[in-house]
Amino acid sequence: MSIICYPWKIAGLTIRARPIRTWTYSQEIYCSVFLQPVTMEILRTICLLILAVVHADRATYDKYQVRRVVPESQEQLEVLRDLEKNSNGLSFWVGPSRVQKAVDIMVPPHMLPQFDEIMASLNLRSEVYIKNVQHLIDTERPKVRPRADFGWTDYYSLDAIYAWLDSLVETYPEVLIPITVGRTYEGRQIRGVKLSFKEGNRGVILEGGIHAREWISPATVTYILNKLLTSQDPVMQDLVQSFDYYVFPSVNPDGYVYTHTTDRMWRKTRSQGGNRCFGADANRNFDFHWLEIGASSSPCSDTYAGSAPFSEIETRVLSEYLTSIADQFDAYLTFHSYSQLLLFPYGHNNDNVSNYDELLALGQAAVSALANNNGTQYAVGNIYSTIYPTSGVSMDWVRGVFNTPYTYSWELRDKGNHGFLLPADQIIDTAEETLVSLIVILRHAKEKLGRN
Ligand SMILES: [Zn+2]
């Protein structure tokens, strides 16, 4: 919804050369007032009322800060873990994993004094990484929303993404088939497309948006799909001929819609399990070492693994679909944010997968190519040692159950300055550099597996 308030047009009063005051209440309501002070106050009230109606049911994060803390001892690490488990109100954007690994914590304004006291008692320095989360939410999307179709200069709603998929299927009916893997808890379709230029190809699966608030993920996945269809680059065209692509921009549609309508920082699904908290972390809900480590059994936690493996309809139908084509794909690629990491299995322990050396070397080649684009630096490694121990994630389930040889997860931009709220003007650069790394991986897979 977009409301622009031009009071001078309503009142028809003198327009001054420059605004007396400008208020930016949110990305969606922009109100510049050029009027005499008394009229200005009346119109300001009208604008505030409109704002109140539009945003009445929307979570706000005014003056919420994101603090970065680096634990330097096991004791400090344990206290942070304890805080993550038991604190109502703190939200761990990057959870505690090990000593010397940065932890990002969103702190509400009323908890800041208490938070500072705890940090001081632990002898821990906390750095203000984001001063006002709401400000980043308000400035994440362009002030003037592009009217044209997809252009990757803005983040799009689920409806817009699905309408775009429909238009692609209409434009490329010979090579694109729509896929619906099932319906969500709230009854939405989980949709994707299969891109196939010839019979007998093996598949590459792109999974986006399993974590609702990581908007750069569906944006990157749709960008890559568009490039697969339209690129004139001979290397890309060769890769498009050599594999079938199953592309799912948003496998957690309820959560994604919720981040657009109600709470920008929502991560989980939207199921209701009979307690006061909603949803489970879909990427802790897969039936592979479920709930062993790095996942929570508390329904209110952001990393709640669900009441059972595949308790969430979204992961259940996706897993059933993947099982139905399991003998047909070579690669499973998932897209998350943030941290700038390229990860491969596993998360539940530090044991090497059988082709660990290959995945590591290939990952390093991929991020080195990625860095050549814009200088963006990524680290590479298995989930367990590179980000944090975790279990029940989709990529590990695919690798563990189907032994798919090439499975990677991107933790896309940035490294915490915006966190999940990456400005839309970084979508194209992010997606483009990601595509470069993807090409390195797929070229290797094609050659190694003899696909043509
Ligand atoms: Zn994620």
Side-chain angles (χ1 to χ4, degrees):
M1 185 173 201
S2 181
I3 294 175
I4 299 170
C5 188
Y6 295 113
W8 58 92
K9 284 186 185 168
I10 301 165
L13 297 176
T14 315
I15 296 174
R16 298 190 174 187
R18 58 194 169 82
I20 297 166
R21 239 190 263 171
T22 300
W23 292 286
T24 305
Y25 294 118
S26 80
Q27 185 64 26
E28 295 183 20
I29 295 185
Y30 183 76
C31 190
S32 296
V33 178
F34 292 78
L35 304 171
Q36 302 295 338
V38 175
T39 318
M40 198 171 74
E41 282 310 311
I42 295 167
L43 292 169
R44 179 175 179 270
T45 307
I46 293 170
C47 281
L48 280 171
L49 282 173
I50 294 169
L51 177 73
V53 170
V54 170
H55 280 187
D57 54 352
R58 193 168 285 203
T60 60
Y61 290 91
D62 195 34
K63 297 191 175 64
Y64 279 58
Q65 293 189 355
V66 175
R67 298 287 191 91
R68 177 162 292 183
V69 179
V70 183
E72 279 161 5
S73 68
Q74 198 59 33
E75 188 205 346
Q76 292 173 337
L77 184 69
E78 290 308 325
V79 178
L80 288 172
R81 282 191 178 137
D82 200 49
L83 267 182
E84 186 185 28
K85 249 189 209 155
N86 299 316
S87 157
N88 266 336
L90 296 179
S91 169
F92 282 69
W93 284 18
V94 175
S97 55
R98 56 178 56 86
V99 171
Q100 297 300 346
K101 278 272 198 182
V103 178
D104 288 354
I105 309 165
M106 181 169 71
V107 188
H110 70 276
M111 289 183 74
L112 279 168
Q114 190 192 349
F115 181 81
D116 284 335
E117 273 174 20
I118 297 170
M119 292 303 114
S121 70
L122 284 170
N123 251 340
L124 262 174
R125 209 173 61 84
S126 88
E127 194 181 344
V128 180
Y129 239 68
I130 296 174
K131 231 161 92 183
N132 184 351
V133 170
Q134 187 61 41
H135 175 70
L136 290 195
I137 293 174
D138 293 342
T139 53
E140 180 182 28
R141 300 182 61 185
K143 276 204 168 68
V144 180
R145 302 278 165 80
R147 278 169 192 271
D149 291 342
F150 260 58
W152 292 273
T153 54
D154 194 3
Y155 292 107
Y156 300 106
S157 68
L158 185 77
D159 285 347
I161 292 172
Y162 283 180
W164 180 71
L165 290 181
D166 287 337
S167 74
L168 288 183
V169 172
E170 219 168 90
T171 311
Y172 304 96
E174 301 84 15
V175 294
L176 270 188
I177 302 165
I179 302 168
T180 302
V181 302
R183 286 194 181 266
T184 65
Y185 183 81
E186 292 178 344
R188 296 183 179 87
Q189 290 185 323
I190 302 171
R191 294 185 52 190
V193 288
K194 178 184 176 185
L195 166 60
S196 178
F197 272 83
K198 68 177 198 299
E199 294 265 312
N201 277 345
R202 302 276 299 173
V204 171
I205 297 175
L206 274 61
E207 174 216 286
I210 198 166
H211 287 143
R213 64 189 172 189
E214 298 165 7
W215 283 7
I216 188 61
S217 167
T220 299
V221 170
T222 50
Y223 183 93
I224 291 170
L225 171 60
N226 187 55
K227 281 286 167 147
L228 289 169
L229 280 163
T230 60
S231 176
Q232 298 301 308
D233 175 54
V235 172
M236 278 287 285
Q237 289 191 336
D238 177 58
L239 288 173
V240 172
Q241 295 284 339
S242 304
F243 292 103
D244 289 349
Y245 294 83
Y246 300 77
V247 184
F248 302 99
S250 174
V251 299
N252 176 12
D254 290 351
Y256 188 65
V257 168
Y258 196 71
T259 60
H260 280 264
T261 60
T262 311
D263 182 354
R264 175 66 188 86
M265 301 319 303
W266 191 256
R267 167 184 170 97
K268 301 188 283 182
T269 60
R270 291 294 302 162
S271 58
Q272 222 179 337
N275 56 65
R276 68 190 166 86
C277 289
F278 284 72
D281 183 339
N283 208 37
R284 300 290 182 277
N285 191 236
F286 281 73
D287 190 7
F288 187 72
H289 295 271
W290 179 79
L291 199 51
E292 274 182 19
I293 192 168
S296 173
S297 56
S298 159
C300 297
S301 165
D302 259 350
T303 54
Y304 176 48
S307 56
F310 294 135
S311 60
E312 303 309 287
I313 184 73
E314 293 81 3
T315 57
R316 196 156 67 242
V317 295
L318 179 60
S319 70
E320 284 164 5
Y321 180 78
L322 294 174
T323 303
S324 75
I325 57 165
D327 57 346
Q328 295 164 44
F329 59 90
D330 291 333
Y332 193 82
L333 310 171
T334 79
F335 298 85
H336 291 255
S337 72
Y338 59 95
S339 289
Q340 294 174 202
L341 304 169
L342 183 58
L343 306 167
F344 53 84
Y346 286 117
H348 65 281
N349 67 29
N350 206 16
D351 294 352
N352 289 353
V353 287
S354 58
N355 62 338
Y356 176 90
D357 291 342
E358 182 192 11
L359 289 180
L360 181 63
L362 177 57
Q364 281 163 343
V367 301
S368 150
L370 185 155
N372 283 340
N373 234 47
N374 304 301
T376 312
Q377 300 293 322
Y378 269 59
V380 185
N382 68 14
I383 298 176
Y384 186 94
S385 63
T386 311
I387 183 163
Y388 36 64
T390 188
S391 56
V393 307
S394 62
M395 171 175 76
D396 284 4
W397 176 78
V398 167
R399 171 69 197 219
V401 174
F402 305 125
N403 207 26
T404 307
Y406 298 102
T407 51
Y408 285 100
S409 274
W410 279 255
E411 291 285 348
L412 299 166
R413 290 191 195 184
D414 56 12
K415 293 183 95 166
N417 288 331
H418 301 91
F420 304 115
L421 303 166
L422 192 72
D425 62 13
Q426 290 194 40
I427 295 172
I428 291 173
D429 281 352
T430 303
E432 191 58 40
E433 70 198 13
T434 307
L435 179 61
V436 169
S437 59
L438 177 75
I439 289 169
V440 172
I441 291 166
L442 293 183
R443 287 184 80 175
H444 172 93
K446 173 183 153 82
E447 201 181 305
K448 183 82 189 289
L449 300 171
R451 311 297 182 213
N452 46 42

